Amino acid sequence: MEPAYRGLGRCVCCFWLAVAFDVLGLLVLLIGVFVNVFFYDLLIYAGAIVIFLSLIWWVFWYSGNIEVLSAELEDDVGLVKKDKGALGGISVVVRRLSTRVYSGIRNSLRRNGGAQRSVAETTVAPCSKQVVVTLATLTPSERTLQTCASSVEWNDAAMPPTATETFPT
């Protein structure tokens, strides 16, 4: 059985923090307005900011005290009504079945590392052309320009050589 909350509700700490921020912000704001100091504008802005920050605590207090009946939660969080009659039992069975099927598929995909590809997807189509690219390996100690040549097997046109420069890291 839930305890009955009276007065300030469940989030008493948030309420008192909001009140403290409001009082402190108002105090700093009024000091900036009525006291003759050279940094009055800083006090006015700081008071306004503290009052604005108190809105966070007010929102926490308000949202923490929202009462939602369990009957209203049934559709949102998946709670099942106990007295639905014959159709209620069918929906429970369907929900359990779909959960088992979904978790079985998900677990099998995790074990196999993803969906299995068919043979048609893994073979190369007969009309595709293969591109061969040759690259040179460089060591960090080399500071010379290296050229990379690229050629296309199905087309005899060779690409012009390009130069790459490496810097020691």
Side-chain angles (χ1 to χ4, degrees), residues 129-146:
K129 305 298 180 189
Q130 187 174 10
V131 177
V132 178
V133 177
T134 55
L135 299 172
T137 6
L138 302 175
T139 60
S141 62
E142 294 177 339
R143 291 189 181 188
T144 60
L145 288 173
Q146 300 289 328

Side-chain angles (χ1 to χ4, degrees), residues 39-88:
F39 55 92
Y40 66 94
D41 52 346
L42 174 71
L43 294 174
I44 292 172
Y45 288 129
I49 289 171
V50 171
I51 291 172
F52 177 74
L53 291 177
S54 77
L55 289 174
I56 295 171
W57 298 112
W58 285 117
V59 168
F60 284 168
W61 175 74
Y62 179 78
S63 61
N65 286 313
I66 294 175
E67 295 286 336
V68 180
L69 301 174
S70 61
E72 294 176 10
L73 281 177
E74 288 174 355
D75 293 333
D76 294 337
V77 296
L79 294 176
V80 180
K81 292 181 182 177
K82 293 181 180 173
D83 54 351
K84 284 186 176 179
L87 292 177

